[in-house]
Each structure stands twice: as C-alpha cells, then as structure tokens.
Amino acid sequence: MSASWVPHDIRDAVIDFTQLWAKKSDIALTRFISWLGIAPSKYYNWQSRYGKVNEHNGLIPRDFWLEECEKQAIISFHNQYQLDGYRRLTFMMLDRNIVAVSPSSVSRVLSAAGLLQRWNRKTSKKGTGFVQPLKPHEHWHIDVSYVNLCGTFYYLCTLLDGYSRYIVHWELRKTMTEKDIEIIMQRAREKFPDAKPRIISDNGPQFIAKDFKAYIRLTGMSHVRTSPYYPQSNGKLERYHKTIKTECIRPKVALSLEEARTQIAEYIRYYNEERLHSAIGYIAPKDKLEGRDRQIFKERDQKLEAARAERKQKRLDMRQRLDCHQILTTAANINSLTQQDNFSISN
C-alpha cells in the first residue's frame, strides 16, 4: 500500500506501534520511522491527525454549488427536449428563466444522472482555408436538395446567410433549371435590396450556365464555386438541409406539395426566429442578423452572475441561522446549568 494514503485505523496503529517500542527499547523514534520507510513529515502529519477520520481531502462545499431543486429542473428540462444537446439546453433554460447555470454545470448534472451520451469525434477542420464573413449579407450560400413526397422527388432550393445562418429565401419546386434559380435569387434580393453578397454554390449545371453568370454580373454580385466532389465546402447549407430533413420533412410526412410547403414554411420561421443555433453562440439566426447577439450574451452573463450571487447569499443566510441557533442553544444550556447550581446552593 502506498504511503501517500492509508486508512485512519492503520495510520493510528503505526503511531501506537512506534511510540510503544521507542519507549521500551530506548531506540530513537526517528530510527523506527526510517525503518518503516515513512518520511518524517508524513509521520508527524499522521500524528497530528491521530484518532481522526481521513476527511482532509474531502470535497468542500462551495457557495456557488447548484441546489438540488436546480439539478432536478435541469433533468426535467432535458427530458422534455431529449434531442437537443446540453449546450443548447443551457441557453434555452437561461432565456426562459428556468435555471441560470453554465454549460459545464449542465454537462456535469446530466452526466451524473446518466443522461449525457458521448461519442468520439474526428478533429474538426471547420474554417481552415476559408475567410468567414464578418457582417450580414457578405456571403449567401445556395444549394439544391431533393425532397421525396409520396414517391415523387421535388427540388428544395435554399439561400442561407453565411454570417447569421438566417434563411434568406427558399422554394420547393417541381423543376430546378437555371431560370428557376434566377427567380429564387431575385425574390431573395427583393427582401434585402441593398445586399450585394458573394454567392457560394457547388458546380451544379444551373450555376455554371452562361445565363447565370450574366445574371450575377448584372446584379452586381460575385460568385464562387466550391471544389468538385467536396460538399463540405458548402457545409453550412449542407448541414441545414440535413437538419430540416431530420426535424421537419421526414417526421411530419407531408402527403402533398402544398402541405409540404406549409410545414417547411413553419419550420423555417421557427428556425430563423426561435431555434438556438450552436454555430453562432446558441441564439436565433434572426437575432444574429439584426445585431442583437451582444445584448443577449450580456443578459445571459448577468443572469448567471445574479444566480451565483443568490445561491451564495442563501448559503450565507443558512449558516447565519445555524450559528444563531447554536448560540441560542448554548445560552439555554448555560442558563439551565446556572439554575441547577443555584438550586443546589439554596438546598
């Protein structure tokens, strides 16, 4: 057994043994310590804790530790939104004033409850070789994805703002020619007439057509195509298409084109205005687009600080009440003993 930690009963037995035989044999105590292979500082540390249980390395409660009701609130909220990660849950609870904690605290609570699943991930190469936009409408990503409705494939075309992840415009069509792409982009430009973004697309036939190049030139925009056979180059929009299919199109199973358009329109409203996006600090894309992100981050920090201060004050008040109770109990005991002594003297 390592000498760095031993049970308190064995530790006390060593103290008793060395002191007993040091007296009987008149051998110096330091000699016994060296024979046992224990450092003198450790031996005298054991001697100072003689008869005490090993609690010197135990956890010390902190003022800002979560309360049990807050832990239960985190677990209950996770059970309502099991498909969302712990970071998104953190800021959802913060914005709804359910509980103000940090993502690491939520992770610890869910891990302790066995509700947090972990998996190995490859090292991310996100952002390498690509200059990210610094303001809205610098980059618009455009792509076309297939949607299967009752055995018929339709085309879902989406324009996404690369800075805020806001869905600028989308359409679900039966065909997707170069003319359709121009119509979709023109409708997007009508929503933001002052925008002159760089269009980022893949090498689809609609985007390499001469008419599309002429349209880009006439509107004053620029166009960049991603590397062939490398969809990660347009990963922001590829990830969005995966999200909308996973959370909207496949679970709801639309039975007609109009029903699918209604469902997608409702989901995109939720995606733009309510859903917390992990890539932009767990805020809604519309808030990021309209520049409310810093105010939201500031309010979240203030809520966290206020919650920590409130928990600290609660524990301080509890300690003060316990101290007062102990003082009152001691005073009552002294008063009782005094009365007993006076009674004895009088008798």
Side-chain angles (χ1 to χ4, degrees):
M1 179 179 296
S2 173
S4 60
W5 183 90
V6 293
H8 67 280
D9 52 350
I10 298 178
R11 179 196 67 201
D12 294 345
V14 172
I15 300 297
D16 294 336
F17 174 82
T18 53
Q19 291 182 352
L20 174 64
W21 286 102
K23 291 180 180 179
K24 287 186 176 182
S25 62
D26 291 332
I27 299 176
L29 183 61
T30 55
R31 181 66 60 87
F32 277 101
I33 296 174
S34 63
W35 287 346
L36 292 175
I38 302 174
S41 60
K42 183 172 291 294
Y43 176 84
Y44 291 113
N45 188 13
W46 287 1
Q47 189 176 19
S48 66
R49 302 204 315 272
Y50 182 84
K52 298 180 180 179
V53 182
N54 285 331
E55 295 180 346
H56 56 288
N57 290 329
L59 291 177
I60 301 175
R62 305 296 183 185
D63 293 333
F64 51 83
W65 278 7
L66 299 183
E67 299 178 354
E68 189 62 31
C69 60
E70 292 177 315
K71 295 180 181 179
Q72 293 300 325
I74 293 172
I75 295 174
S76 300
F77 194 80
H78 171 269
N79 293 334
Q80 296 178 15
Y81 301 92
Q82 297 184 8
L83 298 180
D84 292 310
Y86 73 91
R87 293 182 181 274
R88 181 174 287 115
L89 291 177
T90 300
F91 298 111
M92 289 173 66
M93 291 188 292
L94 194 59
D95 293 342
R96 300 182 188 183
N97 297 321
I98 295 177
V99 59
V101 292
S102 62
S104 58
S105 298
V106 175
S107 175
R108 284 193 294 269
V109 172
L110 297 180
S111 296
L115 300 176
L116 189 62
Q117 298 180 357
R118 296 187 177 275
W119 59 91
N120 294 326
R121 289 185 173 182
K122 296 181 180 178
T123 303
S124 175
K125 296 182 179 179
K126 181 175 66 175
T128 58
F130 181 79
V131 179
Q132 297 293 335
L134 301 178
K135 60 182 181 180
H137 306 305
E138 278 193 355
H139 293 170
W140 280 4
H141 298 258
I142 185 171
D143 196 14
V144 179
S145 183
Y146 295 102
V147 176
N148 187 352
L149 300 178
C150 300
T152 302
F153 283 93
Y154 296 90
Y155 300 93
L156 175 63
C157 182
T158 308
L159 274 89
L160 178 143
D161 178 58
Y163 173 76
S164 63
R165 269 61 168 188
Y166 184 85
I167 305 303
V168 179
H169 188 65
W170 68 277
E171 289 193 17
L172 185 65
R173 289 172 168 256
K174 297 180 180 179
T175 61
M176 194 59 62
T177 62
E178 187 275 335
K179 181 180 179 181
D180 295 317
I181 295 293
E182 287 189 18
I183 293 174
I184 294 171
M185 291 190 60
Q186 186 60 30
R187 290 175 178 174
R189 292 184 65 248
E190 290 173 358
K191 295 181 179 180
F192 302 96
D194 297 332
K196 300 292 182 182
R198 170 179 291 183
I199 304 300
I200 301 175
S201 72
D202 58 14
N203 293 270
Q206 304 94 336
F207 305 115
I208 62 176
K210 293 183 178 179
D211 291 341
F212 183 77
K213 294 180 181 179
Y215 172 79
I216 292 293
R217 185 175 63 255
L218 292 174
T219 55
M221 298 183 292
S222 59
H223 182 210
V224 174
R225 297 197 302 267
T226 60
S227 302
Y229 309 107
Y230 192 70
Q232 294 90 331
S233 301
N234 203 7
K236 295 178 182 178
L237 195 50
E238 296 285 351
R239 184 63 181 88
Y240 162 75
H241 280 155
K242 179 182 178 181
T243 299
I244 192 173
K245 289 181 180 179
T246 303
E247 298 183 3
C248 174
I249 296 174
R250 291 167 183 164
K252 294 186 178 181
V253 191
L255 301 179
S256 65
L257 181 59
E258 292 303 321
E259 184 179 1
R261 286 172 174 167
T262 302
Q263 293 176 355
I264 293 174
E266 177 59 26
Y267 178 82
I268 290 179
R269 185 206 62 79
Y270 161 74
Y271 183 92
N272 280 339
E273 300 178 6
E274 299 181 18
R275 185 179 183 273
L276 304 184
H277 203 296
S278 61
I280 54 177
Y282 290 95
I283 60 174
K286 187 175 182 180
D287 293 331
K288 180 74 171 179
L289 183 74
E290 296 178 355
R292 293 192 294 269
D293 50 338
R294 293 186 177 180
Q295 181 63 27
I296 293 175
F297 295 151
K298 182 179 179 181
E299 291 176 357
R300 288 175 176 175
D301 292 339
Q302 292 174 350
K303 290 180 181 179
L304 289 173
E305 291 297 329
R308 294 191 185 102
E310 183 179 357
R311 285 193 288 268
K312 184 176 181 179
Q313 186 62 39
K314 283 183 178 179
R315 289 186 172 89
L316 180 60
D317 294 342
M318 183 179 296
R319 285 198 295 268
Q320 291 177 350
R321 288 195 297 269
L322 291 175
D323 293 341
C324 291
H325 177 73
Q326 186 175 3
I327 292 172
L328 293 175
T329 303
T330 304
N333 293 334
I334 294 173
N335 188 25
S336 177
L337 292 173
T338 303
Q339 292 178 358
Q340 291 178 2
D341 292 340
N342 293 335
F343 178 77
S344 299
I345 294 171
S346 64
N347 290 337

